[in-house]
Amino acid sequence: MNFTPIKNIIIVGGGTSGWMAAASLSKFLSHKNIEIHLVESNEIGTIGVGEATLPGILDFNNSLGIDQIDFIKKTKATFKLGIEFNDWKNIGTRFFHPFSNYGQPLGGVDFYQIWQVLFKQGKASALENYCLPSILARQNKFSQPNPNTTSPLANYHYAFHFDASLYANYLRDYSEARGVIRHEDKVTGVNLADNGFIAGIKLEHAGDLAGDLFIDCTGFKGLLIEGALKTGYEDWSEWLPVNSAVAVQSESTTEPTSYTKTTALEAGWKWKIPLQHRIGNGYVYCDKFISDADATQKLLLSLDGKPLTTPKVIKFITGRRKKFWNKNCVALGLSSGFLEPLESTSISLIQTGISKLLMFFPDNSFNENDMDEANRLAQVEMERIRDFILLHYKLSQRNDSPFWNYVQEIPIPEALQQKINMFKHRGHLIKNEGESFGDASWISIYNGFNIIPETFDLRVEQFNISALGQQLEKIETTIKDAASYALHHQAFIDKYCKADL
Ligand code: FAD
């Protein structure tokens, strides 16, 4: 066994995952005397999408000591209170998935249980009215949660939309200032040691570069984790059949929304991600149901403003690398798998991948227990997210195209079926280890698809219903008042964090 410390880390790839890894490792391993190299090729470039995030991005940036205002200005970011889903249940329907809870538990009983009883009796209004970020989003406003308040109603989360290439540049500056050595070069081969570990990489211009630990951030191709180590890929397209996307940037014609917008289309769905200086648009689809050319045409016709880039078609297979950590190689970002971007989970998975690497940071013996546990956690996390995304398709009632008929008939994993059954029966949630999405997320999707439980938590009966009705009314009014004081999203940006455009 070689218990010597890691002295040399080689990150291959300079997209979002590569630079997030470089920034985090250079910060958290600064006391370790480890040399960190990052190799990227401008000629190959990055995927150029991936601009909507989850609230954990704030924790990531905060952990690096990044100033939020500076980050927003330099990445031309906007705020994201959640995701608006249009035409998902049926054409003409809309619901919102907020990063926040609904109402507040009363007497130890979940708010949703109380709400569903009162709603059925006509004593409560739409669920959305009990969630401040949902109301802010509906009015296209933004306000920061107040850290000094004790009200759970004001204790919500938000995320960002940002320009992915500007974020990579931002983290590059951060990393290089902390000693990360960048190589603008192309990897042309991988040297394996006798034990099958990676000994080094061959660079087109600079020759061989040896290392102890390798981070594969090379995108879908997984140059090290798959190309060299043949780790294998679990194909999940039987559950998540979308396999293509066409992406294009366009001019903004209106104020940016404080949320991501998704709209279900005949063979998938489209996204609209507003930044301060432009909009990111894309159509995610299954190419068995629409051609690339038709999807591109549909997307271009639906743009609000003039296209700023040539539409780019991207092909993928939903699924996961069988091991995110194999021998002395850890895969982050697209090289570790991809679940389609519906719930903006990829950047968040990069973050949690980096956390696992730091939590189980190896020496040169690469302890199997550490790696097995990190791989187990990564697998559970991906499976839970897969099921959450799958829920959106399974619950749809659209029957206007072969794609929607097909996705509703897909047999789903047992764990998800149990969750759906539980909710349909009593409105309770089954919570498993490794869930990335909390109660409010699951409830917003069930409710958005109009799943009405057959029965409820009988503890609600202990309360006086008319007193509960008054409490709900008070919550609704408090939220309405709070929203009326908030600034419009654009006005908030202009006041606090406007970028140089
Ligand atoms: P890439 O950006 O592809 O970077 C790969 C890097 O490896 C590049 O620097 C490249 O030059 C380098 N490289 C490759 N080969 C070599 C070589 N031989 N030598 C040297 N360097 C090499 N995620 C979200 O969280 N939110 C979203 O809204 C979202 N939307 C998405 C929409 C679509 C259609 C797709 C496909 C993905 C989306 N994602 C989203 C995922 C997100 O794009 C990625 O997680 C993120 O961009 C990270 O990509 P990456 O760094 O792994 O790969």
Side-chain angles (χ1 to χ4, degrees):
M1 283 286 170
N2 177 2
F3 292 111
T4 56
I6 298 284
K7 286 278 164 218
N8 220 312
I9 300 176
I10 315 281
I11 300 169
V12 183
T16 307
S17 64
W19 285 114
M20 282 176 80
S24 211
L25 297 182
S26 64
K27 159 96 181 171
F28 291 105
L29 301 176
S30 61
H31 59 297
K32 287 289 215 186
N33 196 22
I34 297 177
E35 225 174 63
I36 302 175
H37 297 259
L38 184 146
V39 182
E40 67 175 323
S41 160
N42 287 343
E43 194 188 316
I44 296 174
T46 64
I47 190 147
V49 285
E51 309 200 311
T53 62
L54 293 177
I57 193 72
L58 273 91
D59 302 327
F60 182 80
N61 287 347
N62 287 340
S63 77
L64 299 180
I66 286 175
D67 176 71
Q68 205 182 136
I69 301 289
D70 185 54
F71 150 79
I72 294 171
K73 287 182 175 172
K74 297 227 172 87
T75 62
K76 303 192 186 335
T78 62
F79 295 93
K80 175 178 174 185
L81 291 163
I83 305 178
E84 183 184 79
F85 289 83
N86 297 286
D87 299 341
W88 276 81
K89 178 175 162 281
N90 291 117
I91 292 176
T93 58
R94 174 210 174 267
F95 69 89
F96 192 71
H97 168 195
F99 299 139
S100 150
N101 290 323
Y102 295 96
Q104 57 194 99
L106 298 172
V109 179
D110 288 345
F111 179 82
Y112 177 77
Q113 291 292 339
I114 293 162
W115 173 83
Q116 66 146 324
V117 171
L118 269 76
F119 186 71
K120 280 179 192 158
Q121 298 180 12
K123 293 183 175 125
S125 68
L127 186 61
E128 187 169 288
N129 292 335
Y130 304 94
C131 174
L132 179 54
S134 297
I135 298 305
L136 290 172
R138 208 161 61 192
Q139 299 175 8
N140 200 17
K141 289 182 163 181
F142 181 74
S143 153
Q144 275 190 311
N146 179 353
N148 301 319
T149 179
T150 51
S151 166
L153 300 177
N155 185 13
Y156 55 88
H157 300 283
Y158 63 91
F160 299 109
H161 309 113
F162 57 57
D163 182 316
S165 58
L166 294 180
Y167 188 51
N169 289 346
Y170 192 84
L171 294 181
R172 174 180 162 188
D173 289 348
Y174 178 98
S175 306
E176 288 187 315
R178 279 160 188 77
V180 172
I181 304 157
R182 174 181 179 270
H183 306 255
E184 162 56 44
D185 213 329
K186 209 189 280 182
V187 176
T188 53
V190 177
N191 300 319
L192 292 183
D194 292 343
N195 61 1
F197 278 49
I198 298 177
I201 50 175
K202 294 180 204 296
L203 297 178
E204 189 175 59
H205 300 294
D208 286 0
L209 186 60
D212 298 321
L213 172 65
F214 292 81
I215 318 280
D216 188 338
C217 298
T218 59
F220 286 131
K221 68 170 81 125
L223 198 64
L224 310 183
I225 195 83
E226 197 56 53
L229 298 183
K230 313 280 179 248
T231 304
Y233 193 77
E234 242 174 65
D235 179 339
W236 285 350
S237 49
E238 66 181 287
W239 290 304
L240 294 173
V242 294
N243 59 8
S244 313
V246 53
V248 68
Q249 296 170 7
S250 66
E251 279 178 358
S252 310
T253 54
T254 51
E255 292 188 352
T257 53
S258 51
Y259 51 89
T260 307
K261 192 169 176 174
T262 83
T263 306
L265 299 176
E266 68 176 284
W269 58 277
K270 72 172 174 173
W271 78 76
K272 187 171 161 191
I273 300 176
L275 304 182
Q276 291 197 33
H277 57 314
R278 63 164 169 82
I279 294 177
N281 310 273
Y283 184 176
V284 178
Y285 56 94
C286 175
D287 63 11
K288 293 193 181 82
F289 295 89
I290 191 169
S291 68
D292 297 340
D294 284 352
T296 305
Q297 170 82 347
K298 287 246 153 74
L299 180 67
L300 288 173
L301 285 173
S302 74
L303 298 181
D304 294 341
K306 271 200 242 143
L308 296 171
T309 53
T310 308
K312 178 179 172 186
V313 173
I314 299 163
K315 294 287 172 184
F316 55 83
I317 299 169
T318 55
R320 61 177 279 272
R321 196 70 57 198
K322 283 188 176 156
K323 290 179 178 177
F324 108 103
W325 187 338
N326 189 6
K327 300 190 168 77
N328 60 339
C329 176
V330 170
L332 293 175
L334 298 171
S335 66
S336 68
F338 184 55
L339 285 175
E340 78 143 289
L342 183 58
E343 285 283 354
S344 319
T345 41
S346 289
I347 293 171
S348 163
L349 282 166
I350 297 171
Q351 252 177 269
T352 57
I354 294 170
S355 296
K356 286 182 198 74
L357 172 59
L358 287 170
M359 194 189 334
F360 296 102
F361 196 76
D363 55 38
N364 273 307
S365 68
F366 286 92
N367 184 286
E368 289 287 343
N369 298 309
D370 282 345
M371 287 153 64
D372 287 350
E373 180 58 4
N375 281 323
R376 188 189 71 80
L377 292 171
Q379 175 176 352
V380 170
E381 184 181 26
M382 285 284 263
E383 287 175 353
R384 301 276 183 254
I385 296 174
R386 175 199 67 199
D387 288 358
F388 183 62
I389 295 175
L390 196 40
L391 184 72
H392 300 61
Y393 292 100
K394 193 68 193 170
L395 297 184
S396 175
Q397 293 164 25
R398 283 184 64 147
N399 56 7
D400 53 293
S401 72
F403 173 81
W404 287 102
N405 293 337
Y406 174 76
V407 292
Q408 285 162 50
E409 293 307 316
I410 290 175
I412 56 175
E414 182 60 26
L416 177 59
Q417 191 60 59
Q418 284 169 357
K419 286 180 174 174
I420 295 176
N421 293 347
M422 181 79 257
F423 192 85
K424 280 188 169 168
H425 175 57
R426 198 181 283 273
H428 277 319
L429 302 169
I430 296 180
K431 299 169 203 181
N432 293 315
E433 180 202 12
E435 296 280 2
S436 296
F437 289 95
D439 294 8
S441 296
W442 285 85
I443 286 172
S444 69
I445 307 302
Y446 287 125
N447 188 63
F449 283 99
N450 203 23
I451 303 298
I452 299 167
E454 295 157 346
T455 184
F456 56 95
D457 183 332
L458 294 184
R459 289 175 300 169
V460 177
E461 288 176 343
Q462 70 189 297
F463 302 120
N464 173 325
I465 293 291
S466 82
L468 277 183
Q470 283 166 13
Q471 287 204 44
L472 261 64
E473 223 176 288
K474 203 166 145 209
I475 291 175
E476 192 177 346
T477 310
T478 307
I479 286 175
K480 223 185 254 171
D481 288 350
S484 72
Y485 293 119
L487 291 175
H488 279 274
H489 185 212
Q490 182 67 61
F492 188 95
I493 291 170
D494 291 347
K495 185 162 178 193
Y496 297 109
C497 47
K498 193 166 167 52
D500 290 332
L501 301 179

